[in-house]
Amino acid sequence: MENESERVNRTYDIFNEDARLNHSKAARVEFLTTVHYIEKYLKDGDKILDIGAGAGEYSLYFARKGYEVSALELADANIAAFKKKLTPEDKIDLVQGNALDLSRYADKSFDIVLLFGPLYHLKNDADKQKCISEAKRVCKDGGKIFFAFISNDFVFLTEFGYDVNYFSNGDYPELPHRAAQRGRGRRHLDDLPQKRRHAAPAPHGQNHAHPGRDADRK
């Protein structure tokens, strides 16, 4: 499945992103921890760009706190789930688009940029670097970029959900493609822990991010 948009759409036909952060108290830990670190750097009047906004959990939270939020999401299912949550009072610029092309946004136009999904959907390093470069381009000087990516543990746990003999089989196919081929139900995936590694915000102009626990260090 070479087409990036098709691959992402098929992934979210399997994964229920709309429920991932709120289906239990344990699932809520990721959201609360992430918000805690973002709010350490937010200032009144800040503009936020949520790249790969999913079903809108972070965008809606910050918009309802009074921040100006723009949200970009690729997957059809996530866009539909996001729109269902919007109220007339929600001032969010929601568009369907690709994290590799942020040309609709001007240089240095956001104080906070969230990049919580695209990096673990992109397959090659060149695309990952382009995604990061676009995020840096639209971030103001002195702004903050937050990154997230999936740990290797999640790959193993998900594969075991499909095949208890995963290690014996010795293959390492791309999960969404494999799951789509099998047509397995979503119930197998919802029971698995969702592991993501959070990174502290990288000041605009830097190419790296430190683990979240370092965010408090001066």
PDB file of all heavy atoms in Angstrom, residues 120-156:
ATOM      1  N   TYR A 120       5.002   8.807  13.265  1.00  0.00           N
ATOM      2  CA  TYR A 120       4.982   7.345  13.298  1.00  0.00           C
ATOM      3  C   TYR A 120       4.113   6.741  12.211  1.00  0.00           C
ATOM      4  O   TYR A 120       3.897   5.528  12.184  1.00  0.00           O
ATOM      5  CB  TYR A 120       4.605   6.792  14.681  1.00  0.00           C
ATOM      6  CG  TYR A 120       3.357   7.317  15.334  1.00  0.00           C
ATOM      7  CD1 TYR A 120       2.104   6.851  14.983  1.00  0.00           C
ATOM      8  CD2 TYR A 120       3.449   8.250  16.353  1.00  0.00           C
ATOM      9  CE1 TYR A 120       0.969   7.305  15.618  1.00  0.00           C
ATOM     10  CE2 TYR A 120       2.313   8.720  16.999  1.00  0.00           C
ATOM     11  CZ  TYR A 120       1.074   8.232  16.632  1.00  0.00           C
ATOM     12  OH  TYR A 120      -0.042   8.688  17.275  1.00  0.00           O
ATOM     13  N   HIS A 121       3.656   7.562  11.280  1.00  0.00           N
ATOM     14  CA  HIS A 121       3.012   7.041  10.080  1.00  0.00           C
ATOM     15  C   HIS A 121       3.944   7.121   8.865  1.00  0.00           C
ATOM     16  O   HIS A 121       3.775   6.378   7.904  1.00  0.00           O
ATOM     17  CB  HIS A 121       1.730   7.803   9.769  1.00  0.00           C
ATOM     18  CG  HIS A 121       0.616   7.498  10.710  1.00  0.00           C
ATOM     19  ND1 HIS A 121       0.096   6.235  10.858  1.00  0.00           N
ATOM     20  CD2 HIS A 121      -0.084   8.292  11.571  1.00  0.00           C
ATOM     21  CE1 HIS A 121      -0.870   6.258  11.765  1.00  0.00           C
ATOM     22  NE2 HIS A 121      -0.999   7.492  12.212  1.00  0.00           N
ATOM     23  N   LEU A 122       4.890   8.030   8.895  1.00  0.00           N
ATOM     24  CA  LEU A 122       5.796   8.203   7.758  1.00  0.00           C
ATOM     25  C   LEU A 122       6.819   7.082   7.723  1.00  0.00           C
ATOM     26  O   LEU A 122       7.395   6.715   8.749  1.00  0.00           O
ATOM     27  CB  LEU A 122       6.492   9.567   7.850  1.00  0.00           C
ATOM     28  CG  LEU A 122       5.546  10.763   7.734  1.00  0.00           C
ATOM     29  CD1 LEU A 122       6.273  12.061   8.077  1.00  0.00           C
ATOM     30  CD2 LEU A 122       4.957  10.848   6.328  1.00  0.00           C
ATOM     31  N   LYS A 123       7.085   6.551   6.535  1.00  0.00           N
ATOM     32  CA  LYS A 123       7.893   5.343   6.410  1.00  0.00           C
ATOM     33  C   LYS A 123       9.384   5.609   6.262  1.00  0.00           C
ATOM     34  O   LYS A 123      10.200   4.826   6.723  1.00  0.00           O
ATOM     35  CB  LYS A 123       7.400   4.525   5.203  1.00  0.00           C
ATOM     36  CG  LYS A 123       5.995   4.007   5.347  1.00  0.00           C
ATOM     37  CD  LYS A 123       5.498   3.336   4.090  1.00  0.00           C
ATOM     38  CE  LYS A 123       6.317   2.130   3.701  1.00  0.00           C
ATOM     39  NZ  LYS A 123       5.748   1.445   2.517  1.00  0.00           N
ATOM     40  N   ASN A 124       9.760   6.696   5.601  1.00  0.00           N
ATOM     41  CA  ASN A 124      11.191   6.897   5.355  1.00  0.00           C
ATOM     42  C   ASN A 124      11.711   8.158   6.018  1.00  0.00           C
ATOM     43  O   ASN A 124      10.953   9.082   6.338  1.00  0.00           O
ATOM     44  CB  ASN A 124      11.483   6.912   3.847  1.00  0.00           C
ATOM     45  CG  ASN A 124      10.779   8.048   3.128  1.00  0.00           C
ATOM     46  OD1 ASN A 124      11.095   9.214   3.332  1.00  0.00           O
ATOM     47  ND2 ASN A 124       9.802   7.714   2.274  1.00  0.00           N
ATOM     48  N   ASP A 125      13.014   8.191   6.236  1.00  0.00           N
ATOM     49  CA  ASP A 125      13.634   9.288   6.965  1.00  0.00           C
ATOM     50  C   ASP A 125      13.490  10.621   6.250  1.00  0.00           C
ATOM     51  O   ASP A 125      13.362  11.669   6.891  1.00  0.00           O
ATOM     52  CB  ASP A 125      15.122   8.992   7.201  1.00  0.00           C
ATOM     53  CG  ASP A 125      15.336   7.883   8.226  1.00  0.00           C
ATOM     54  OD1 ASP A 125      14.381   7.592   8.987  1.00  0.00           O
ATOM     55  OD2 ASP A 125      16.444   7.320   8.263  1.00  0.00           O
ATOM     56  N   ALA A 126      13.517  10.592   4.928  1.00  0.00           N
ATOM     57  CA  ALA A 126      13.404  11.846   4.175  1.00  0.00           C
ATOM     58  C   ALA A 126      12.051  12.515   4.447  1.00  0.00           C
ATOM     59  O   ALA A 126      11.977  13.736   4.641  1.00  0.00           O
ATOM     60  CB  ALA A 126      13.570  11.580   2.681  1.00  0.00           C
ATOM     61  N   ASP A 127      10.982  11.731   4.470  1.00  0.00           N
ATOM     62  CA  ASP A 127       9.663  12.286   4.761  1.00  0.00           C
ATOM     63  C   ASP A 127       9.572  12.777   6.202  1.00  0.00           C
ATOM     64  O   ASP A 127       8.954  13.812   6.483  1.00  0.00           O
ATOM     65  CB  ASP A 127       8.572  11.245   4.506  1.00  0.00           C
ATOM     66  CG  ASP A 127       8.266  11.081   3.022  1.00  0.00           C
ATOM     67  OD1 ASP A 127       8.686  11.947   2.230  1.00  0.00           O
ATOM     68  OD2 ASP A 127       7.613  10.079   2.660  1.00  0.00           O
ATOM     69  N   LYS A 128      10.179  12.041   7.112  1.00  0.00           N
ATOM     70  CA  LYS A 128      10.172  12.479   8.508  1.00  0.00           C
ATOM     71  C   LYS A 128      10.895  13.814   8.664  1.00  0.00           C
ATOM     72  O   LYS A 128      10.446  14.706   9.380  1.00  0.00           O
ATOM     73  CB  LYS A 128      10.813  11.406   9.394  1.00  0.00           C
ATOM     74  CG  LYS A 128       9.991  10.140   9.494  1.00  0.00           C
ATOM     75  CD  LYS A 128      10.732   9.059  10.265  1.00  0.00           C
ATOM     76  CE  LYS A 128       9.944   7.758  10.263  1.00  0.00           C
ATOM     77  NZ  LYS A 128      10.668   6.658  10.931  1.00  0.00           N
ATOM     78  N   GLN A 129      12.033  13.943   7.979  1.00  0.00           N
ATOM     79  CA  GLN A 129      12.783  15.200   8.044  1.00  0.00           C
ATOM     80  C   GLN A 129      11.991  16.347   7.413  1.00  0.00           C
ATOM     81  O   GLN A 129      11.989  17.476   7.918  1.00  0.00           O
ATOM     82  CB  GLN A 129      14.137  15.040   7.334  1.00  0.00           C
ATOM     83  CG  GLN A 129      15.137  14.183   8.086  1.00  0.00           C
ATOM     84  CD  GLN A 129      15.561  14.803   9.398  1.00  0.00           C
ATOM     85  OE1 GLN A 129      15.578  16.020   9.548  1.00  0.00           O
ATOM     86  NE2 GLN A 129      15.907  13.964  10.360  1.00  0.00           N
ATOM     87  N   LYS A 130      11.296  16.060   6.325  1.00  0.00           N
ATOM     88  CA  LYS A 130      10.483  17.095   5.688  1.00  0.00           C
ATOM     89  C   LYS A 130       9.347  17.527   6.601  1.00  0.00           C
ATOM     90  O   LYS A 130       9.038  18.722   6.710  1.00  0.00           O
ATOM     91  CB  LYS A 130       9.912  16.576   4.365  1.00  0.00           C
ATOM     92  CG  LYS A 130       9.108  17.627   3.598  1.00  0.00           C
ATOM     93  CD  LYS A 130       8.643  17.105   2.254  1.00  0.00           C
ATOM     94  CE  LYS A 130       7.849  18.178   1.501  1.00  0.00           C
ATOM     95  NZ  LYS A 130       7.383  17.688   0.187  1.00  0.00           N
ATOM     96  N   CYS A 131       8.730  16.574   7.274  1.00  0.00           N
ATOM     97  CA  CYS A 131       7.652  16.869   8.211  1.00  0.00           C
ATOM     98  C   CYS A 131       8.147  17.773   9.334  1.00  0.00           C
ATOM     99  O   CYS A 131       7.498  18.766   9.690  1.00  0.00           O
ATOM    100  CB  CYS A 131       7.112  15.556   8.778  1.00  0.00           C
ATOM    101  SG  CYS A 131       5.743  15.729   9.921  1.00  0.00           S
ATOM    102  N   ILE A 132       9.298  17.435   9.887  1.00  0.00           N
ATOM    103  CA  ILE A 132       9.880  18.243  10.967  1.00  0.00           C
ATOM    104  C   ILE A 132      10.257  19.630  10.452  1.00  0.00           C
ATOM    105  O   ILE A 132      10.037  20.645  11.121  1.00  0.00           O
ATOM    106  CB  ILE A 132      11.097  17.524  11.567  1.00  0.00           C
ATOM    107  CG1 ILE A 132      10.651  16.255  12.296  1.00  0.00           C
ATOM    108  CG2 ILE A 132      11.859  18.443  12.520  1.00  0.00           C
ATOM    109  CD1 ILE A 132      11.782  15.354  12.729  1.00  0.00           C
ATOM    110  N   SER A 133      10.819  19.688   9.239  1.00  0.00           N
ATOM    111  CA  SER A 133      11.206  20.979   8.661  1.00  0.00           C
ATOM    112  C   SER A 133      10.003  21.887   8.463  1.00  0.00           C
ATOM    113  O   SER A 133      10.068  23.100   8.709  1.00  0.00           O
ATOM    114  CB  SER A 133      11.916  20.764   7.317  1.00  0.00           C
ATOM    115  OG  SER A 133      13.143  20.096   7.502  1.00  0.00           O
ATOM    116  N   GLU A 134       8.879  21.316   8.013  1.00  0.00           N
ATOM    117  CA  GLU A 134       7.666  22.104   7.842  1.00  0.00           C
ATOM    118  C   GLU A 134       7.157  22.625   9.190  1.00  0.00           C
ATOM    119  O   GLU A 134       6.716  23.771   9.302  1.00  0.00           O
ATOM    120  CB  GLU A 134       6.582  21.274   7.155  1.00  0.00           C
ATOM    121  CG  GLU A 134       6.705  21.219   5.646  1.00  0.00           C
ATOM    122  CD  GLU A 134       6.315  22.558   5.032  1.00  0.00           C
ATOM    123  OE1 GLU A 134       7.210  23.431   4.928  1.00  0.00           O
ATOM    124  OE2 GLU A 134       5.147  22.750   4.668  1.00  0.00           O
ATOM    125  N   ALA A 135       7.230  21.781  10.211  1.00  0.00           N
ATOM    126  CA  ALA A 135       6.814  22.212  11.548  1.00  0.00           C
ATOM    127  C   ALA A 135       7.698  23.352  12.045  1.00  0.00           C
ATOM    128  O   ALA A 135       7.202  24.324  12.643  1.00  0.00           O
ATOM    129  CB  ALA A 135       6.863  21.035  12.517  1.00  0.00           C
ATOM    130  N   LYS A 136       8.985  23.253  11.801  1.00  0.00           N
ATOM    131  CA  LYS A 136       9.911  24.320  12.203  1.00  0.00           C
ATOM    132  C   LYS A 136       9.644  25.605  11.435  1.00  0.00           C
ATOM    133  O   LYS A 136       9.732  26.708  11.996  1.00  0.00           O
ATOM    134  CB  LYS A 136      11.350  23.864  11.973  1.00  0.00           C
ATOM    135  CG  LYS A 136      11.812  22.766  12.921  1.00  0.00           C
ATOM    136  CD  LYS A 136      13.163  22.215  12.520  1.00  0.00           C
ATOM    137  CE  LYS A 136      14.240  23.286  12.533  1.00  0.00           C
ATOM    138  NZ  LYS A 136      15.549  22.729  12.143  1.00  0.00           N
ATOM    139  N   ARG A 137       9.314  25.455  10.163  1.00  0.00           N
ATOM    140  CA  ARG A 137       9.096  26.645   9.333  1.00  0.00           C
ATOM    141  C   ARG A 137       7.934  27.491   9.835  1.00  0.00           C
ATOM    142  O   ARG A 137       8.004  28.718   9.852  1.00  0.00           O
ATOM    143  CB  ARG A 137       8.825  26.218   7.874  1.00  0.00           C
ATOM    144  CG  ARG A 137       8.554  27.388   6.935  1.00  0.00           C
ATOM    145  CD  ARG A 137       8.203  26.929   5.533  1.00  0.00           C
ATOM    146  NE  ARG A 137       6.967  26.154   5.469  1.00  0.00           N
ATOM    147  CZ  ARG A 137       5.747  26.710   5.513  1.00  0.00           C
ATOM    148  NH1 ARG A 137       5.606  28.027   5.638  1.00  0.00           N
ATOM    149  NH2 ARG A 137       4.670  25.944   5.441  1.00  0.00           N
ATOM    150  N   VAL A 138       6.855  26.837  10.252  1.00  0.00           N
ATOM    151  CA  VAL A 138       5.664  27.583  10.661  1.00  0.00           C
ATOM    152  C   VAL A 138       5.709  28.009  12.126  1.00  0.00           C
ATOM    153  O   VAL A 138       4.834  28.753  12.576  1.00  0.00           O
ATOM    154  CB  VAL A 138       4.375  26.784  10.394  1.00  0.00           C
ATOM    155  CG1 VAL A 138       4.259  26.449   8.916  1.00  0.00           C
ATOM    156  CG2 VAL A 138       4.319  25.509  11.241  1.00  0.00           C
ATOM    157  N   CYS A 139       6.720  27.557  12.859  1.00  0.00           N
ATOM    158  CA  CYS A 139       6.850  27.911  14.276  1.00  0.00           C
ATOM    159  C   CYS A 139       7.606  29.232  14.413  1.00  0.00           C
ATOM    160  O   CYS A 139       8.623  29.460  13.758  1.00  0.00           O
ATOM    161  CB  CYS A 139       7.587  26.812  15.027  1.00  0.00           C
ATOM    162  SG  CYS A 139       7.618  27.032  16.817  1.00  0.00           S
ATOM    163  N   LYS A 140       7.113  30.091  15.266  1.00  0.00           N
ATOM    164  CA  LYS A 140       7.755  31.384  15.487  1.00  0.00           C
ATOM    165  C   LYS A 140       9.122  31.206  16.143  1.00  0.00           C
ATOM    166  O   LYS A 140       9.372  30.204  16.830  1.00  0.00           O
ATOM    167  CB  LYS A 140       6.887  32.265  16.390  1.00  0.00           C
ATOM    168  CG  LYS A 140       5.565  32.698  15.788  1.00  0.00           C
ATOM    169  CD  LYS A 140       4.779  33.559  16.774  1.00  0.00           C
ATOM    170  CE  LYS A 140       3.451  34.010  16.201  1.00  0.00           C
ATOM    171  NZ  LYS A 140       2.678  34.813  17.182  1.00  0.00           N
ATOM    172  N   ASP A 141       9.994  32.171  15.955  1.00  0.00           N
ATOM    173  CA  ASP A 141      11.251  32.184  16.694  1.00  0.00           C
ATOM    174  C   ASP A 141      10.937  32.210  18.185  1.00  0.00           C
ATOM    175  O   ASP A 141      10.134  33.027  18.646  1.00  0.00           O
ATOM    176  CB  ASP A 141      12.081  33.410  16.316  1.00  0.00           C
ATOM    177  CG  ASP A 141      12.569  33.361  14.881  1.00  0.00           C
ATOM    178  OD1 ASP A 141      12.661  32.255  14.328  1.00  0.00           O
ATOM    179  OD2 ASP A 141      12.843  34.440  14.310  1.00  0.00           O
ATOM    180  N   GLY A 142      11.540  31.310  18.923  1.00  0.00           N
ATOM    181  CA  GLY A 142      11.253  31.227  20.350  1.00  0.00           C
ATOM    182  C   GLY A 142      10.029  30.395  20.674  1.00  0.00           C
ATOM    183  O   GLY A 142       9.702  30.202  21.845  1.00  0.00           O
ATOM    184  N   GLY A 143       9.341  29.905  19.641  1.00  0.00           N
ATOM    185  CA  GLY A 143       8.185  29.042  19.863  1.00  0.00           C
ATOM    186  C   GLY A 143       8.611  27.640  20.259  1.00  0.00           C
ATOM    187  O   GLY A 143       9.801  27.340  20.351  1.00  0.00           O
ATOM    188  N   LYS A 144       7.638  26.792  20.482  1.00  0.00           N
ATOM    189  CA  LYS A 144       7.920  25.427  20.932  1.00  0.00           C
ATOM    190  C   LYS A 144       7.218  24.415  20.030  1.00  0.00           C
ATOM    191  O   LYS A 144       6.076  24.619  19.613  1.00  0.00           O
ATOM    192  CB  LYS A 144       7.441  25.215  22.370  1.00  0.00           C
ATOM    193  CG  LYS A 144       8.110  26.130  23.391  1.00  0.00           C
ATOM    194  CD  LYS A 144       9.581  25.807  23.547  1.00  0.00           C
ATOM    195  CE  LYS A 144      10.227  26.612  24.674  1.00  0.00           C
ATOM    196  NZ  LYS A 144      10.330  28.055  24.365  1.00  0.00           N
ATOM    197  N   ILE A 145       7.939  23.330  19.732  1.00  0.00           N
ATOM    198  CA  ILE A 145       7.389  22.225  18.953  1.00  0.00           C
ATOM    199  C   ILE A 145       7.401  20.980  19.831  1.00  0.00           C
ATOM    200  O   ILE A 145       8.434  20.640  20.417  1.00  0.00           O
ATOM    201  CB  ILE A 145       8.208  21.973  17.669  1.00  0.00           C
ATOM    202  CG1 ILE A 145       8.312  23.242  16.827  1.00  0.00           C
ATOM    203  CG2 ILE A 145       7.587  20.847  16.863  1.00  0.00           C
ATOM    204  CD1 ILE A 145       9.241  23.105  15.633  1.00  0.00           C
ATOM    205  N   PHE A 146       6.259  20.306  19.924  1.00  0.00           N
ATOM    206  CA  PHE A 146       6.152  19.076  20.698  1.00  0.00           C
ATOM    207  C   PHE A 146       6.047  17.898  19.734  1.00  0.00           C
ATOM    208  O   PHE A 146       5.234  17.907  18.816  1.00  0.00           O
ATOM    209  CB  PHE A 146       4.915  19.110  21.595  1.00  0.00           C
ATOM    210  CG  PHE A 146       5.012  20.083  22.737  1.00  0.00           C
ATOM    211  CD1 PHE A 146       4.785  21.435  22.536  1.00  0.00           C
ATOM    212  CD2 PHE A 146       5.321  19.649  24.015  1.00  0.00           C
ATOM    213  CE1 PHE A 146       4.869  22.338  23.584  1.00  0.00           C
ATOM    214  CE2 PHE A 146       5.400  20.539  25.072  1.00  0.00           C
ATOM    215  CZ  PHE A 146       5.173  21.885  24.857  1.00  0.00           C
ATOM    216  N   PHE A 147       6.873  16.870  19.985  1.00  0.00           N
ATOM    217  CA  PHE A 147       6.874  15.680  19.150  1.00  0.00           C
ATOM    218  C   PHE A 147       6.390  14.467  19.941  1.00  0.00           C
ATOM    219  O   PHE A 147       6.550  14.408  21.154  1.00  0.00           O
ATOM    220  CB  PHE A 147       8.293  15.358  18.659  1.00  0.00           C
ATOM    221  CG  PHE A 147       8.966  16.454  17.902  1.00  0.00           C
ATOM    222  CD1 PHE A 147       9.779  17.372  18.559  1.00  0.00           C
ATOM    223  CD2 PHE A 147       8.806  16.579  16.538  1.00  0.00           C
ATOM    224  CE1 PHE A 147      10.411  18.384  17.862  1.00  0.00           C
ATOM    225  CE2 PHE A 147       9.432  17.577  15.831  1.00  0.00           C
ATOM    226  CZ  PHE A 147      10.246  18.491  16.505  1.00  0.00           C
ATOM    227  N   ALA A 148       5.815  13.493  19.247  1.00  0.00           N
ATOM    228  CA  ALA A 148       5.505  12.195  19.853  1.00  0.00           C
ATOM    229  C   ALA A 148       5.751  11.111  18.824  1.00  0.00           C
ATOM    230  O   ALA A 148       5.601  11.331  17.625  1.00  0.00           O
ATOM    231  CB  ALA A 148       4.052  12.149  20.329  1.00  0.00           C
ATOM    232  N   PHE A 149       6.136   9.938  19.318  1.00  0.00           N
ATOM    233  CA  PHE A 149       6.349   8.808  18.419  1.00  0.00           C
ATOM    234  C   PHE A 149       6.118   7.519  19.190  1.00  0.00           C
ATOM    235  O   PHE A 149       6.140   7.503  20.412  1.00  0.00           O
ATOM    236  CB  PHE A 149       7.752   8.831  17.806  1.00  0.00           C
ATOM    237  CG  PHE A 149       8.868   8.948  18.813  1.00  0.00           C
ATOM    238  CD1 PHE A 149       9.508   7.826  19.292  1.00  0.00           C
ATOM    239  CD2 PHE A 149       9.282  10.201  19.274  1.00  0.00           C
ATOM    240  CE1 PHE A 149      10.538   7.936  20.212  1.00  0.00           C
ATOM    241  CE2 PHE A 149      10.314  10.323  20.188  1.00  0.00           C
ATOM    242  CZ  PHE A 149      10.938   9.187  20.672  1.00  0.00           C
ATOM    243  N   ILE A 150       5.858   6.449  18.490  1.00  0.00           N
ATOM    244  CA  ILE A 150       5.548   5.166  19.116  1.00  0.00           C
ATOM    245  C   ILE A 150       6.835   4.412  19.417  1.00  0.00           C
ATOM    246  O   ILE A 150       7.752   4.359  18.604  1.00  0.00           O
ATOM    247  CB  ILE A 150       4.652   4.320  18.193  1.00  0.00           C
ATOM    248  CG1 ILE A 150       3.246   4.916  18.144  1.00  0.00           C
ATOM    249  CG2 ILE A 150       4.574   2.872  18.674  1.00  0.00           C
ATOM    250  CD1 ILE A 150       2.301   4.168  17.229  1.00  0.00           C
ATOM    251  N   SER A 151       6.875   3.790  20.588  1.00  0.00           N
ATOM    252  CA  SER A 151       8.024   2.971  20.954  1.00  0.00           C
ATOM    253  C   SER A 151       7.940   1.606  20.285  1.00  0.00           C
ATOM    254  O   SER A 151       6.871   1.167  19.848  1.00  0.00           O
ATOM    255  CB  SER A 151       8.082   2.789  22.475  1.00  0.00           C
ATOM    256  OG  SER A 151       7.020   1.971  22.900  1.00  0.00           O
ATOM    257  N   ASN A 152       9.066   0.922  20.220  1.00  0.00           N
ATOM    258  CA  ASN A 152       9.096  -0.406  19.612  1.00  0.00           C
ATOM    259  C   ASN A 152       8.213  -1.397  20.360  1.00  0.00           C
ATOM    260  O   ASN A 152       7.687  -2.345  19.772  1.00  0.00           O
ATOM    261  CB  ASN A 152      10.528  -0.940  19.576  1.00  0.00           C
ATOM    262  CG  ASN A 152      11.377  -0.219  18.549  1.00  0.00           C
ATOM    263  OD1 ASN A 152      10.860   0.337  17.600  1.00  0.00           O
ATOM    264  ND2 ASN A 152      12.676  -0.215  18.761  1.00  0.00           N
ATOM    265  N   ASP A 153       8.029  -1.184  21.669  1.00  0.00           N
ATOM    266  CA  ASP A 153       7.204  -2.101  22.455  1.00  0.00           C
ATOM    267  C   ASP A 153       5.794  -2.205  21.886  1.00  0.00           C
ATOM    268  O   ASP A 153       5.193  -3.279  21.899  1.00  0.00           O
ATOM    269  CB  ASP A 153       7.116  -1.620  23.911  1.00  0.00           C
ATOM    270  CG  ASP A 153       8.430  -1.768  24.644  1.00  0.00           C
ATOM    271  OD1 ASP A 153       9.285  -2.529  24.160  1.00  0.00           O
ATOM    272  OD2 ASP A 153       8.601  -1.126  25.697  1.00  0.00           O
ATOM    273  N   PHE A 154       5.260  -1.079  21.411  1.00  0.00           N
ATOM    274  CA  PHE A 154       3.895  -1.103  20.906  1.00  0.00           C
ATOM    275  C   PHE A 154       3.779  -1.990  19.668  1.00  0.00           C
ATOM    276  O   PHE A 154       2.773  -2.681  19.478  1.00  0.00           O
ATOM    277  CB  PHE A 154       3.428   0.314  20.574  1.00  0.00           C
ATOM    278  CG  PHE A 154       2.043   0.352  19.996  1.00  0.00           C
ATOM    279  CD1 PHE A 154       0.941   0.131  20.791  1.00  0.00           C
ATOM    280  CD2 PHE A 154       1.854   0.581  18.641  1.00  0.00           C
ATOM    281  CE1 PHE A 154      -0.336   0.140  20.260  1.00  0.00           C
ATOM    282  CE2 PHE A 154       0.586   0.599  18.097  1.00  0.00           C
ATOM    283  CZ  PHE A 154      -0.517   0.377  18.909  1.00  0.00           C
ATOM    284  N   VAL A 155       4.810  -1.990  18.827  1.00  0.00           N
ATOM    285  CA  VAL A 155       4.796  -2.826  17.631  1.00  0.00           C
ATOM    286  C   VAL A 155       4.697  -4.293  18.021  1.00  0.00           C
ATOM    287  O   VAL A 155       3.876  -5.047  17.483  1.00  0.00           O
ATOM    288  CB  VAL A 155       6.056  -2.584  16.781  1.00  0.00           C
ATOM    289  CG1 VAL A 155       6.075  -3.514  15.576  1.00  0.00           C
ATOM    290  CG2 VAL A 155       6.131  -1.130  16.336  1.00  0.00           C
ATOM    291  N   PHE A 156       5.502  -4.706  18.994  1.00  0.00           N
ATOM    292  CA  PHE A 156       5.470  -6.102  19.419  1.00  0.00           C
ATOM    293  C   PHE A 156       4.119  -6.467  20.031  1.00  0.00           C
ATOM    294  O   PHE A 156       3.547  -7.524  19.742  1.00  0.00           O
ATOM    295  CB  PHE A 156       6.577  -6.379  20.439  1.00  0.00           C
ATOM    296  CG  PHE A 156       7.957  -6.201  19.892  1.00  0.00           C
ATOM    297  CD1 PHE A 156       8.920  -5.504  20.603  1.00  0.00           C
ATOM    298  CD2 PHE A 156       8.306  -6.719  18.658  1.00  0.00           C
ATOM    299  CE1 PHE A 156      10.193  -5.330  20.103  1.00  0.00           C
ATOM    300  CE2 PHE A 156       9.580  -6.556  18.146  1.00  0.00           C
ATOM    301  CZ  PHE A 156      10.532  -5.855  18.872  1.00  0.00           C
TER     302      PHE A 156
END
